[in-house]
Amino acid sequence: MAILSRQNLQEILQTLAVLQWLPVYVMLGFIPILLMPYLLVFTKFWTLSVLTLAWLVYDWNTHSQGGRRSAWVRKWTLWKYFRNYFPIKLVKTHDLSPKQNYIIANHPHGIVSYGVFINFATEATGFARIFPGITPSVGTLEGIFWIPIVREYVMSMGVCPVSKVALKYLLTQKGSGNAVVIVVGGAAEALLCQPGVSTIFLKERKGFVKLALKTGAYLVPSYSFGENEVYNQETFPEGTWLRFFQKAFQDTFKKILGLSFCTFHGRGFTQGSWGFLPFNRRITTVVGEPLPIPKIERPSKKTVDQYHALYISALRKLFNQHKVQYGLSETQDLTMWIVLPLFIYLLFTPMWPLPALYFTWFYLDWKTPERGGRRSNWVRNWYIWTHMRDYFPITILKTKELSPEQNYLMGVHPHGLLTFGAFCNFCTEATGFSKIFPGITPHLATLSWFFKIPLIRDYIMAKGVCSVSQPSIDYLLSHGTGNLVGIVVGGVGEALQSVPNTTTLLLRNRKGFVRTALQHGAHLVPTFTFGETEVYDQVLYQEDSQMFNFQRRFRRLFGFYCCVFYGRGFCKGSAGLLPYPLPITTVVGEPLPVPKTEKPSQELVDKYHALYMEALHKLFDQHKARFGISETQRLLFL
């Protein structure tokens, strides 16, 4: 009875070790994404969030420069229970010399890549003992390293970004004895994962070969036998309604997250039950013989193709030598093809129909943001917006009538840090837009990627927000009349100019909105929001500083700048992230008539761009003194 109890305890610990893996990543991700903003704004522990973000900025390049591994984390007993659940094993066929660097290419991806994780990101199977003097680094999606806490956790196991910068650093700047592990087929290969199937994406995947040639790293083929066996994946017959919905989910997930949505299942908590735990089936990763690669700084396509073919041959040989030993048929061959947390969590609960139905709707509704959106007068009239209006307060001032018989393209200036004035005046009815401009339907344009996020897209569309993409604006200006499309012309780049007592706009070379107005014959409407740049203080950095370089990198990744700013706290006189309660007034100027020209010349665009700047300058000068700006202050265009 005691022996049985010990055995049951071991099985329970093994199951829990596997069960915790993905939820831990999700929970660690939720802490900085949800808890840190809460601590920052609503509690006295805001310094914790500030220090965490400061550390992230300071430590930003570490994951691309070798990371920060921890032998202690890699040796946790937890990973041994994880290993024994399947069990997972690492097999060496040839020694790897510590005097050389290597790219270990692994196949197949499987659904979750359990074999790669346990064998190369932990010491559960004894990598350091089997390959003495070799330091493995497992490549994965770079986005994981943008999340505080999660990045520390994965770096401690020797995981690195699969970016060229990170991989090249490991193979050229860390001496010898480094082995970079890349799952060549990537997440797309997960869709090929079926028990008894050995199909991989490889014939057109040549980037890893080119990297090996540039760095002189030897190529090492490896194959994880059993990786495709731990889950059953369902691919419905073509032409059926189930296949239609399945492809819809897969296409949507690919667009939003860059991942492949797989319809799979494994076992439940008890043997024989259905669930999402992997089946207890053996996974064995066989590491093959290194393929020597010459170092060529600029390898030709012919050279890349040559060594790619040699690699394929070596991988096929490795597969054929070991396939029978690890449960595959002698006749089976290796086939090579050419080629958001809550919702995902709910898919694995009894509430899975909710995200399933929503993603079906999401797929069918994909084009709506570019076809006028779906506004809701009820949302625009929420009482909460009047409280927001009164906090500053925010007002809108009309200088001229806008005829409902015409369409308009409105330039919104300045961007400020959070564009409170434009939001309250054009995305809500808090300041009475519909009463002030009867017959006019306002649309404020914003970054297109907001409309790729479930629920958020529906929320912002309800307020009349549209995508700033060309198809979206073209649609609004060509379907009916009385449409007013507002574009914050300076964009996110102008946020860095948002400093109290300054009136600097990015406009001199921003002419795309004028061209669009000419193509549709939409009248140009200048607006200026006085007070928008006064509600926050911003810390500015020199262009040659490390922080400024970080801000530029952040912009390239996310499409907007990470501005360092502060306002007031909950108590007057305290510092915090609430905006200062200072008046904000958006003055809507006189429409500038624009002729409809299907293909406007650059000369014509320049002409109306100059007229628009002149009209905006006039609007600013007429009202600046009334709204607290010195008579001598000028509007500066960059």
Side-chain angles (χ1 to χ4, degrees), residues 225 318-332:
F225 293 93
L318 179 74
F319 177 84
N320 289 333
Q321 284 178 338
H322 298 274
K323 62 185 179 182
V324 175
Q325 182 182 352
Y326 297 113
L328 297 179
S329 167
E330 181 68 53
T331 59
Q332 187 161 338

Side-chain angles (χ1 to χ4, degrees), residues 581-595:
L582 300 173
I584 296 175
T585 302
T586 299
V587 181
V588 181
E590 181 179 0
L592 174 64
V594 173

Side-chain angles (χ1 to χ4, degrees), residues 60-67 137-142 145 155 158-174 178-182 211 215:
W60 184 256
N61 290 321
T62 299
H63 60 264
S64 295
Q65 296 177 350
S137 300
V138 179
T140 189
L141 296 174
E142 188 171 17
F145 298 89
M155 278 198 294
V159 178
C160 69
V162 75
S163 67
K164 289 182 181 179
V165 173
L167 300 180
K168 192 171 183 179
Y169 185 94
L170 287 166
L171 297 173
T172 60
Q173 303 295 319
K174 294 282 286 183
N178 296 295
V180 174
V181 183
I182 302 174
L211 178 64
T215 59

